[in-house]
Amino acid sequence: MHSHTPTHREAVPPEERRVYPNWRTDRDVTTTNTWADYDREMAAADVSIVFNIAVDDPEPMTGLPYPPERTNDATAEFAAADPARRIGFLSVNPLWDNVFEETERCRELGLRGVKLGPNYQDFDPLGEQAMAFYAYCEKESLPILVHAGASPMRHAPLRYTHPLIADEIALRFPELRIVLAHMGHPWGTDTAVTIRKHPHVYADVSSIYLRPWVCYQALLAAHEWGCTGKLLLGSDFPIAGTAEAMAGIRRVNDILDGTALPRVPLEQVEQIIHADALGALGLSR
């Protein structure tokens, strides 16, 4: 459900190699990667959704280095090269004067959903222009994957990322299909109660497995609120790959050894791994 477009088609020249140290606590993340790197890291997935984030200066604003003028075209080319296993999402900023024109252009390129990062893109997700864009996406049956939860980027406002924002959006646009990235970490319980009440609001589990207590709290909340069926698999490549993501959430109960704390049922973890994400979003391969 959640991966970022690789930065290079072929080998990364040594002088262009970049790493980012603040996403994981166990190692730095190499942010320059090839199409082959992506395929290797996505090998455990049947199909992956891939995107960039539309910002003026990607590396300082998102941590990922890619030419801003190629944000959507690079994704479209990458997805079109293997349409059986890759689905591309476009990214726009609702504040742009040409937001609808760019969205239509990207749809003609074959991109089939939208990635928004209000914190990275610095727009109010409950503002008037954002609401107009959601209305368009609801009408056109375009699913939206939105960043939710923490980010290490200093400029990115946390107030734009709380999962309860999706509750207000879904009340206004009940047919709009929304996915909250990262289960809104660290606000996993707030994410659970939000996706529980709205039929078309989901969450992905990308990156939560990197912090064992956050992962446990989030998945336990989803279990206790009866909404693990609304959770979708994600890796957040290049932060991790699909196999690591699956292994990470399968270890959710490991930190509980020797305690009487409640366990997350492992059959529900398997349901997350094998969830029909495309069906949930109204997409097909």
Side-chain angles (χ1 to χ4, degrees), residues 13-47:
E15 67 274 13
E16 295 181 18
R17 184 177 181 273
R18 299 286 186 275
V19 298
Y20 189 75
N22 293 331
W23 282 322
R24 302 179 58 133
T25 56
D26 56 342
R27 64 172 174 84
D28 294 347
V29 173
T30 301
T31 57
T32 43
N33 38 78
T34 68
W35 288 20
D37 294 333
Y38 183 97
D39 286 343
R40 183 181 63 253
E41 293 298 321
M42 293 295 117
D46 298 312
V47 60

Side-chain angles (χ1 to χ4, degrees), residues 102-184:
E102 174 64 6
T103 302
E104 290 292 339
R105 186 187 76 86
C106 291
R107 294 178 69 188
E108 291 176 1
L109 294 176
L111 301 180
R112 302 174 60 194
V114 180
K115 165 64 176 182
L116 297 177
N119 56 330
Y120 302 121
Q121 298 173 299
D122 198 22
F123 72 85
D124 182 351
L126 297 178
E128 181 179 346
Q129 289 165 285
M131 291 294 179
F133 186 68
Y134 306 146
Y136 165 87
C137 291
E138 183 184 48
K139 178 176 178 291
E140 298 296 324
S141 299
L142 281 176
I144 294 176
L145 172 66
V146 60
H147 177 87
S151 165
M153 314 310 292
R154 184 179 183 185
H155 69 88
L158 289 172
R159 70 183 182 278
Y160 288 166
T161 71
H162 199 283
L164 292 182
I165 290 171
D167 180 49
E168 299 195 38
I169 297 170
L171 289 170
R172 287 275 300 273
F173 307 101
E175 298 304 314
L176 177 63
R177 296 174 190 258
I178 303 170
V179 181
L180 298 172
H182 319 301
M183 263 198 95

